[in-house]
Amino acid sequence: MARRKISIIGAGNVGAFTAARATAEELGDIVLVDVVEGMPQGKALDLAESAPMLNFDAHIIGSNDYEPTADSDVVVVTAGLPRKPGMSRDDLLAKNEEIMKSVIEQVAPRSPNAVLVIVSNPLDAMCMVAKRVSGFPKERVVGMAGVLDTARFRAFISMELDVSVEDISALVLGGHGDNMVPLPRYTTVGGIPIQMLLPPERVAAIVDRTRQAGGEIVSLLKTGSAFFSPAAATIAMVKAILKDKKRILPCCAYLDGEYGYHDMYFGVPVKLGTNGVEQIIELELNEEQRGRLDKSAASVKEMLSKLTVK
Ligand code: TXD
């Protein structure tokens, strides 16, 4: 069977690490695209030169145009600008909307059957732009946020209890912002509910830290945001799609009535396989969880109302 093709648009921190993980796991051939001249080419060549030590085989192309992306199986979009001093969230939204629109206009006609995995922030809004501009079915435009937020939740529980991350299963729902909704009720350690292992105040502290985990890294790095764990989260999704693993992962998916929400992207548990989002799993929520989710949905809706791509 021919190798699968993964294009990564935006060869910055997350894009480059995603490429490195994809090759290390031999998921397929890689095309790296960025607007900065020479940068994607340089990173592609550097990555190709790591192959003899890591023993992977893949064609890796770096490019400033989209021709080499044709017929990709998966396209990961990390292109975007970070927030600069003096820039409001709305300014950032407008700028990244413009970038996402131009990227998708180039990507979609060349890879009409691809699954688009969106990473750029503000995530929930960028997924909507990608769906509207591509015209792809909702199943084939999905965003990465919940896998990362859940991983952070799991990492903190593992640090607290000094147990293997492997045995921790958790769930975080909602938009990719400070209003995200970690669900301790659906969080277990080796099958044991977290509430049986930790007192409520420790669980609450871990939930809080999870909500602010992105900001915690930004304030340490000062010049950028997290990239190791976002790249790992992106790879978990790309692998589930390319290998048709049908994993149950929290992803940013288009809701068409599920959870009572319409025409919006939101973090929910989905079944991820070859066809993208193959199923959205609806959970029973108690009143408190529902209230939190509604609050998160309201902030996503507000952002969506500011998009110019309708
Ligand atoms: O959970 C999540 N979804 C996230 C999202 C976790 C981590 C990072 N998250 C967001 O992903 C972050 O807020 C950014 O919006 C993206 C990418 O983060 P990264 O850390 O990789 O940012 P970089 O290093 O600045 O890389 C962005 C690249 C950079 O090389 C630019 O030159 C490029 O995007 N860029 C473009 N590429 C192609 N086409 C266009 N138009 C373009 N504009 C900028």
Side-chain angles (χ1 to χ4, degrees):
M1 197 172 107
R3 274 188 220 131
R4 313 301 294 279
K5 185 164 171 180
I6 306 156
S7 289
I8 301 172
I9 318 301
N13 278 338
V14 178
F17 271 94
T18 300
R21 299 261 359 123
T23 51
E25 295 209 28
E26 283 197 316
L27 294 182
D29 290 337
I30 306 289
V31 181
L32 270 174
V33 177
D34 203 287
V35 280
V36 180
E37 259 176 60
M39 184 267 259
Q41 294 85 344
K43 289 189 179 179
L45 188 57
D46 186 15
L47 191 52
E49 291 167 2
S50 75
M53 289 163 286
L54 299 175
N55 289 327
F56 63 78
D57 291 296
H59 295 297
I60 308 165
I61 298 172
S63 174
N64 300 118
D65 68 64
Y66 287 78
E67 279 321 308
T69 69
D71 297 320
S72 294
D73 296 288
V74 173
V75 179
V76 174
V77 185
T78 75
L81 291 186
R83 192 139 64 113
K84 303 224 172 73
M87 215 176 173
S88 73
R89 272 176 202 276
D90 285 357
D91 294 341
L92 183 72
L93 178 70
K95 191 66 207 157
N96 280 352
E97 175 179 8
E98 206 179 287
I99 292 175
M100 184 59 67
K101 181 168 177 276
S102 75
V103 165
I104 301 297
E105 279 169 354
Q106 300 281 338
V107 159
R110 290 181 174 85
S111 298
N113 300 314
V115 177
L116 307 181
V117 177
I118 308 300
V119 178
S120 316
N121 270 330
L123 198 263
D124 308 271
M126 291 306 109
C127 290
M128 193 59 126
V129 174
K131 178 177 179 293
R132 286 179 179 161
V133 175
S134 66
F136 282 11
K138 62 184 181 192
E139 294 77 16
R140 288 200 283 115
V141 182
V142 60
M144 186 288 286
V147 177
L148 172 62
D149 297 330
T150 304
R152 286 169 165 161
F153 194 31
R154 290 169 59 198
F156 297 146
I157 293 169
S158 147
M159 292 172 198
E160 177 90 14
L161 292 173
D162 192 22
V163 296
S164 169
V165 288
E166 276 182 55
D167 295 321
I168 304 171
S169 195
L171 191 53
V172 176
L173 299 184
H176 186 52
D178 301 346
N179 291 329
M180 70 177 78
V181 186
L183 292 179
R185 200 176 131 207
Y186 288 100
T187 299
T188 57
V189 180
I192 305 161
I194 186 75
Q195 289 94 334
M196 294 179 70
L197 298 169
L198 282 173
E201 63 278 8
R202 286 312 303 155
V203 175
I206 293 172
V207 164
D208 263 0
R209 188 173 180 195
T210 301
R211 277 207 199 97
Q212 287 151 30
E216 186 178 355
I217 304 268
V218 170
S219 62
L220 288 166
L221 295 180
K222 295 188 183 72
T223 54
S225 50
F227 50 93
F228 290 118
S229 54
T234 305
I235 284 298
M237 292 176 64
V238 170
K239 196 170 166 182
I241 295 163
L242 290 177
K243 296 192 179 280
D244 195 23
K245 286 179 76 77
K246 302 192 190 296
R247 288 198 65 191
I248 306 296
L249 295 172
C251 295
C252 186
Y254 183 81
L255 300 188
D256 204 3
E258 295 89 353
Y259 288 86
Y261 304 123
H262 293 269
D263 193 31
M264 67 182 287
Y265 268 88
F266 209 42
V268 291
V270 309
K271 188 201 278 183
L272 204 58
T274 292
N275 303 314
V277 175
E278 299 186 352
Q279 190 189 340
I280 290 175
I281 295 161
E282 291 195 66
L283 298 175
E284 228 180 83
L285 299 175
N286 63 29
E287 213 170 303
E288 190 246 328
Q289 292 164 335
R290 167 57 65 181
R292 283 170 182 262
L293 209 60
D294 281 346
K295 196 170 154 210
S296 176
S299 54
V300 172
K301 280 272 183 199
E302 200 207 319
M303 203 161 48
L304 293 178
S305 71
K306 291 178 182 149
L307 291 177
T308 52
V309 177
K310 299 291 175 201

